[in-house]
Amino acid sequence: YVGVDSSPELLELARTRIAELPGVSGELLESDVTREAASAGLGGRRFDLIAVIGLLHHVPSLRLRGRLLADLVALLAPGGLLAVAFWQFAAFERFRDRFVDWDAFNREAADPVDARQLETGDHLLAWGGDRQAVRYCHWSDPAEIERLISATAAASHEIYSGRAGDRFNLYALIRAGLRSG
């Protein structure tokens, strides 16, 4: 198992939990895949399976999301599978009720956001019990997901909705091509 995260605190928690699992070993790398290639620190390794959960909706800009997906597909071994979750928060009233207006945010922000840099699907969500914390989230609709995947070197893909227990995500299963010798 190889895990990658930009948070040293979460990586340390994961190291502790992995150490408690009999017969499981893992390598955990600190990397911000929005700032450097997903392959950074991997030494040219290829993977049969890559899972990306809870990440893409925090990646600002179509260009960065596309680059990240292309980088991940390039890390797959021939025939390997990339599984990606796309959080569909904007489709649900319980999350839309948490949207923070960009202008209202900018009036209070120490570092305002340039509205010209925003894309369709970019939102701020109030978070936590008191809703004082604000998080950037991007909603990728099915058409955007298709565009992102089609710009990679993937051999095939399918997109499906979460089942009864998880109706908040769309999932993409992206298959790498079989490379010849």
Side-chain angles (χ1 to χ4, degrees):
Y1 172 85
V2 176
V4 178
D5 201 289
S6 63
S7 168
E9 295 83 8
L10 288 177
L11 288 168
E12 190 53 41
L13 178 62
R15 280 185 188 93
T16 301
R17 295 221 173 133
I18 288 172
E20 296 169 353
L21 298 172
V24 175
S25 63
E27 178 182 357
L28 301 174
L29 304 172
E30 184 177 340
S31 176
D32 182 346
V33 294
T34 66
R35 297 186 188 273
E36 58 189 356
S39 60
L42 295 174
R45 288 182 279 183
R46 297 289 176 254
F47 300 89
D48 295 321
L49 173 64
I50 298 174
V52 179
I53 311 295
L55 172 65
L56 245 48
H57 61 275
H58 290 303
V59 177
S61 94
L62 182 65
R63 181 187 62 78
L64 285 176
R65 287 185 297 278
R67 189 210 71 199
L68 178 56
L69 276 183
D71 287 352
L72 293 169
V73 168
L75 285 171
L76 292 170
L81 185 67
L82 171 61
V84 184
F86 292 89
W87 187 28
Q88 296 298 289
F89 63 91
F92 297 93
E93 185 175 344
R94 72 183 262 196
F95 297 114
R96 287 191 308 268
D97 287 346
R98 296 181 180 190
F99 284 5
V100 174
D101 179 73
W102 286 100
D103 291 331
F105 172 81
N106 280 339
R107 282 193 294 275
E108 303 290 326
D111 189 18
V113 174
D114 182 349
R116 294 172 298 186
Q117 294 180 328
L118 298 174
E119 298 173 347
T120 300
D122 286 349
H123 298 281
L124 293 174
L125 269 68
W127 211 258
D130 58 8
R131 294 190 179 197
Q132 292 302 309
V134 176
R135 289 186 179 177
Y136 164 85
C137 293
H138 178 81
W139 177 52
S140 295
D141 65 18
E144 179 181 301
I145 295 168
E146 287 286 350
R147 283 193 310 275
L148 287 168
I149 295 169
S150 68
T152 72
S156 65
H157 73 278
E158 64 179 278
I159 297 172
Y160 65 95
S161 297
R163 301 290 189 269
D166 175 18
R167 64 186 201 278
F168 298 120
N169 291 290
L170 287 178
Y171 294 94
L173 298 177
I174 304 165
R175 180 84 52 195
L178 297 174
R179 298 178 184 106
S180 58

